[in-house]
Structures are given as C-alpha cells and as structure tokens.
Amino acid sequence: MDSAFERHCSELVARERSGHTAVVQEDLLYVWGGYLSIADGEVFLPNDEIWVYDLEQGAWEMFHMSGEVPPSMSGTCGCSLNGHLYIFGGCDDNEQTNQIYCVNLTDGKYMWRKIVHESGAAPSPRDKLSCWVYNERIIYFGGYGRKLLTNIDSRNRSFIVDEASWETRTSDIHCLDFKTWTWSEIIPASTSPVGRSWHTLTAVSDGGLFLFGGLSVDCKPMSDGWLLDVETKKWREVQHPFKDKPRLWHTASPGKDSDVIVFGGSCDSILLVDTGHCNDALVFQTQPYPLFRICEDYIAMNLRNNETLRYQLPLLPPKLLTAVQTRMSFYRPTKKQR
C-alpha cells in the first residue's frame, strides 16, 4: 500500500458525535448527522457529509452529498433497505420534523432524495424514536415530539389545553409501505406501553419485537420490557430480573436463541443529571430456550456447589466440555462495578 495513502487513512477519522444515524451495508459502516458539544453549546455535524468506515481495512473515508439534502439534525431514526439509507424524523435548530429522506449507498453518488408518500397520514414530528424493517415496510414506534390536538380523542380528554399542540413522548406505531408509499397507523389490539423516547426496539423473530427502557412521559427512566407481535398487533409485558435497572439511551442487540443484550446507557434522567452512565450487560430471554441451552446453563450455574457434577464434568465429550467451561465464566462470582 502507498505510504501517502496509509498516512491519509490513519489521519482521517470521523468526528465524535451523539444522536447520529448509522447503518451497515456489507462491510461498510455509514454514519450521518448527529451533534457534538463545544464549550457550553451543542453543534450539529454537517448535513452534506457521510462518513464511511471500512470494517475490513479499519479506515475512514468521507464523501460529500448532494440532492435534496436534509437539514443538519440529531435524533433521526435510520435503517437500510435494498442498498438505501432511509432516515425519518429528527430535530434541527428549530424543531422536530416528520420528513423522510433516502440515499443510495451503492452507486457512489450519495444523492439525497426527499420521499413524498402517496397516501395516508405521516406520524407527527418527532425525534429519539425507534424503527424496524419488516416485509418491505418500516415500522416506527414512540419518540419525543409535538402532538396535535386534532390527534386526540376529545371523548377521552380530561383536561383543557389552550395551545394547538404540545410536546410529549408517544407510544403510537406507524408503518410506511414501500410498495405503495402509504403511511398507516397500527392500532394495538391490547394494552400498550406508555409513551417514551430514548428506548430500544429489537427484532427477536420474523414478526416479533422487544421493547426495553427509555424515558417516560413524566421524565422517569424505565425498566419495563414488552413484546409486540406484528401480525396480531398485540403487546405483552415481559417479566424479567432487571426491574431495578432502568435504562435510556442504551443499545440493544439480538443474541443467540432470541436473547436481547442491552449495554450501556444511563439510569438517570439525563435531562436533569448526566452522571448515571452504565457499563453492565443485561441479557433478556424472550423465547423458551432449546433443551441443550437449558442443560448447559444448569451445569454451568450449579457446578461449583454440586460435587456430583464436578466429578462427572471430565467425562463429557471434549467439545461439550469446552462449551460448559466457557459458559461457567458467565456465572462466576463478580464484584459490583461502579
């Protein structure tokens, strides 16, 4: 490799940021938008730049963007589908938006295009929401934004508001169909979670989503978990052992056997105090485990206190023995991390 190119790769690094959008397409990570803190203020990153990280080479490269470029924003919700990045919502210098934009990530032109839907009503302007790609559709949940009085059922209103709108955290579900470019709202056929932002929504099956945490309407960090069946449109609250570990602005990744691994985030309302950052990993079980997983976990969990298991452990086949010994480290006694 040319030495000048090596120096270029080693020196070019994307700026630090929060509230950005990132997706992976093949071996490339694409990053757009967000903000950073300078002195006592927050500055939006340029809206006409997209940063690309080559996961094989470990090198960054920046490309200029053109077309119908969206405003500089943070809190947008992004996803990739058929080689395109789609972003919805977000907050700019003035307010939240409910516009949707897309850019082709594969043609090298990086030309933004504003999407104009054919029919249906778009969600109200918002940011800090979550989304999921499902059967050529994008499904959006929650977020923080402006709610119009025209969206409220007057029969269920027990208060009077003088303004035409107000800002709140939502629990509504909206769907954009890419075949017809139609917006529709999914009305749950069951009790729904309370409105929130800074939450996570993770696919755990072909038609199932796991919702965890976030900041509630009354600005309280949350620790509840819910499963949504997209086909039946029913929510079900999940019982789990982490009720005392509220999280917001965390990450949630799918694991084996439909586990969801939550890492980091904050346990405080970061709008008031930003000191409760977390570094523990929470593993949520969303589906019944296969018999092998149950047996492996039982042995690993009880081996230290069971003489019979300790005696029989060396009799296991080598591959199975290695798997159990590896799993034992998960259940090792640990000191509480601060």
Side-chain angles (χ1 to χ4, degrees):
M1 182 183 295
D2 182 77
S3 59
F5 179 73
E6 286 182 337
R7 288 196 303 272
H8 172 74
C9 290
S10 64
E11 294 170 0
L12 191 65
V13 178
R15 290 293 303 267
E16 65 274 16
R17 64 191 69 199
S18 296
H20 53 281
T21 292
V23 298
V24 173
Q25 178 73 25
E26 295 183 349
D27 293 328
L28 300 174
L29 170 70
Y30 295 85
V31 177
W32 180 85
Y35 74 94
L36 57 83
S37 297
I38 298 179
D40 294 329
E42 296 176 349
V43 178
F44 287 108
L45 276 299
N47 57 340
D48 60 350
E49 295 179 357
I50 190 166
W51 286 81
V52 184
Y53 184 72
D54 190 311
L55 299 173
E56 292 295 323
Q57 295 184 0
W60 284 99
E61 192 169 2
M62 188 273 288
F63 297 93
H64 289 286
M65 312 185 80
S66 60
E68 299 174 295
V69 181
S72 296
M73 295 186 291
S74 70
T76 57
C77 190
C79 64
S80 62
L81 178 65
N82 300 328
H84 290 70
L85 164 65
Y86 292 85
I87 64 169
F88 171 78
C91 184
D92 58 23
D93 277 322
N94 300 312
E95 58 185 0
Q96 287 90 6
T97 179
N98 64 348
Q99 302 299 314
I100 186 167
Y101 296 83
C102 79
V103 58
N104 191 327
L105 300 176
T106 62
D107 62 2
K109 297 179 181 179
Y110 301 111
M111 183 174 293
W112 282 107
R113 179 167 60 93
K114 186 176 181 179
I115 301 296
V116 179
H117 62 278
E118 297 290 337
S119 60
S124 58
R126 63 190 65 193
D127 65 345
K128 306 178 187 71
L129 64 158
S130 57
C131 67
W132 179 54
V133 177
Y134 174 69
N135 286 350
E136 297 293 320
R137 295 178 289 171
I138 302 181
I139 296 174
Y140 297 92
F141 171 81
Y144 177 76
R146 191 167 294 278
K147 196 78 171 178
L148 302 177
L149 287 181
T150 53
N151 298 136
I152 303 299
D153 188 342
S154 60
R155 294 169 300 177
N156 297 326
R157 194 187 303 160
S158 58
F159 52 88
I160 298 176
V161 180
D162 293 331
E163 294 80 12
S165 65
W166 74 98
E167 291 186 338
T168 186
R169 292 175 174 84
T170 66
S171 61
D172 47 359
I173 309 171
H174 295 267
C175 173
L176 178 62
D177 191 315
F178 281 93
K179 295 179 181 178
T180 61
W181 293 112
T182 300
W183 278 109
S184 61
E185 183 173 0
I186 298 176
I187 306 299
S190 63
T191 301
S192 299
V194 299
R196 64 193 68 201
S197 61
W198 280 321
H199 52 279
T200 51
L201 195 66
T202 311
V204 293
S205 65
D206 290 340
L209 301 171
F210 177 72
L211 169 69
F212 177 69
L215 195 66
S216 70
V217 174
D218 52 358
C219 294
K220 291 182 179 179
M222 307 191 69
S223 62
D224 56 337
W226 294 75
L227 283 172
L228 172 65
D229 187 314
V230 178
E231 295 299 328
T232 64
K233 303 177 183 179
K234 290 184 177 180
W235 286 103
R236 175 173 63 85
E237 187 167 8
V238 176
Q239 299 303 314
H240 61 78
F242 305 117
K243 292 292 186 178
D244 61 340
K245 294 181 179 292
R247 291 291 185 273
L248 59 107
W249 218 359
H250 52 283
T251 59
S253 305
K256 70 173 186 178
D257 300 326
S258 298
D259 281 350
V260 174
I261 299 92
V262 168
F263 177 75
S266 177
C267 60
D268 295 328
S269 175
I270 57 178
L271 300 176
L272 303 176
V273 56
D274 192 14
T275 59
H277 297 284
C278 307
N279 66 348
D280 49 350
L282 313 179
V283 181
F284 292 84
Q285 178 184 352
T286 66
Q287 302 289 341
Y289 285 151
L291 182 58
F292 178 84
R293 172 77 178 269
I294 295 173
C295 294
E296 183 184 62
D297 282 356
Y298 179 84
I299 296 172
M301 189 186 310
N302 295 282
L303 188 67
R304 288 182 175 85
N305 300 318
N306 191 306
E307 185 176 350
T308 301
L309 287 177
R310 290 200 305 273
Y311 175 77
Q312 295 179 340
L313 183 66
L315 304 178
L316 293 175
K319 187 175 181 179
L320 182 57
L321 176 61
T322 300
V324 171
Q325 289 173 332
T326 301
R327 189 63 178 159
M328 284 175 59
S329 64
F330 181 84
Y331 295 102
R332 69 188 183 281
T334 57
K335 295 181 180 179
K336 184 178 180 180
Q337 295 178 320
R338 289 190 263 177

